[in-house]
Amino acid sequence: MQHLQKTQGVARVRGHSPLDQKTDKPSARLYSLLQEGPLLEAAKSIVLIVSALFPIVNPIGGSPVFLALTREYPASTRRILARQVAMNSFVLLIASFLVGTHILHFFGISIPVVQVGGGLIVISNGWTMLKSKEEVDRSPEVQRKMNPTDVFRSAFYPLTLPLTVGPGSISMAITLGANEPHHLGPNVLAILAAVIASALVAMSIFLCYGFADRLAAIIGESGMGIILRLSSFLLVCIGVQILWNGASALLKSVHM
């Protein structure tokens, strides 16, 4: 009896009583799973993908352009169109992440080449938006092209591609997908992380595009013009960065 009391006393001193060991096992396992298990890696992947794609997709900066192209639409139609653009963007990002590298391998195209070509296109689009006048997007010709009966047709081009998900975000998604592990277990978690991250980006697109009219009412006409110019300049800078990343990789591959 004394020996048993001494043993329990030592266990209490060390902080491990028999009751504590039974109750602490589930929490300890959960803690170790979060600290060392795959859930933490999946959470890191989600944060990495969102932080890499969100500045390039830039739904906040694209909302003035979206509003300018859909100014004649009622609010309900604009939200339906924004939802379709968000869904198209989600599909494009997931497809680029999952099968983008396989398509490039099939055609014999490397990721640095995609970065160079995508960077040039992003620079061209950003420069065109930066130099264009605000009245261009409101011209009758553009309004006839954006007929409400052709909502789903115009939802993909130009509103989804290249306005929202352009070459920069596609090449970034392909690059992120190429760097993920190809083993079955980690690959499943990587796919799940990509799906969640792409869904978060698509949700931000829907919120920014669907309520672009309210954002314009709060900021004002001049404020939306300033945001449009700033986003165009940032788009040019992003294109230069993408171009430089691809060109640097190509130059390093050259054997002197």
Side-chain angles (χ1 to χ4, degrees):
M1 188 69 179
Q2 293 179 354
H3 178 71
L4 179 61
Q5 291 177 354
K6 290 181 180 180
T7 304
Q8 292 179 352
V10 173
R12 290 191 184 93
V13 171
R14 293 180 179 178
H16 297 284
S17 65
L19 182 60
D20 292 337
Q21 291 178 0
K22 292 181 181 179
T23 57
D24 288 345
K25 280 184 178 180
S27 60
R29 289 176 181 175
L30 180 61
Y31 179 79
S32 62
L33 184 63
L34 291 175
Q35 290 293 325
E36 302 176 358
L39 291 181
L40 182 61
E41 296 299 326
K44 289 181 180 179
S45 298
I46 293 172
V47 174
L48 174 63
I49 296 173
V50 171
S51 60
L53 290 179
F54 186 82
I56 303 178
V57 175
N58 192 16
I60 299 176
S63 59
V65 183
F66 178 83
L67 182 61
L69 293 175
T70 60
R71 188 172 296 274
E72 299 301 322
Y73 284 18
S76 59
T77 304
R78 189 182 296 113
R79 287 184 178 85
I80 294 175
L81 184 58
R83 183 177 60 187
Q84 187 64 35
V85 170
M87 293 176 60
N88 293 339
S89 302
F90 175 78
V91 173
L92 277 178
L93 291 175
I94 288 297
S96 301
F97 186 88
L98 297 180
V99 300
T101 54
H102 301 288
I103 296 176
L104 293 182
H105 288 318
F106 179 79
F107 289 101
I109 303 174
S110 63
I111 293 179
V113 172
V114 174
Q115 290 177 332
V116 171
L120 290 174
I121 296 177
V122 172
I123 292 172
S124 176
N125 291 334
W127 182 257
T128 302
M129 292 172 56
L130 188 62
K131 298 295 291 183
S132 64
K133 298 180 180 179
E134 295 182 4
E135 289 77 13
V136 173
D137 291 332
R138 304 174 191 175
S139 63
E141 182 181 358
V142 175
Q143 293 176 6
R144 284 196 298 269
K145 290 181 180 179
M146 299 297 296
N147 195 319
T149 59
D150 299 329
V151 167
F152 293 102
R153 184 187 308 174
S154 61
F156 185 78
Y157 181 84
L159 294 178
T160 301
L161 183 72
L163 176 61
T164 305
V165 179
S169 54
I170 291 176
S171 62
M172 179 61 69
I174 293 175
T175 305
L176 292 172
N179 293 330
E180 290 296 334
H182 298 283
H183 302 291
L184 180 60
N187 194 30
V188 172
L189 289 175
I191 293 173
L192 180 61
V195 169
I196 296 175
S198 301
L200 292 176
V201 175
M203 181 61 67
S204 67
I205 293 171
F206 171 73
L207 292 177
C208 293
Y209 285 9
F211 299 95
D213 52 346
R214 298 186 182 182
L215 180 63
I218 295 174
I219 298 178
E221 193 72 22
S222 60
M224 291 295 288
I226 293 173
I227 293 177
L228 179 62
R229 299 304 177 187
L230 289 177
S231 61
S232 302
F233 176 73
L234 291 176
L235 193 63
V236 173
C237 296
I238 291 172
V240 172
Q241 184 64 54
I242 296 173
L243 174 63
W244 175 250
N245 292 338
S248 300
L250 290 176
L251 290 176
K252 291 179 181 178
S253 63
V254 177
H255 299 284
M256 301 300 293

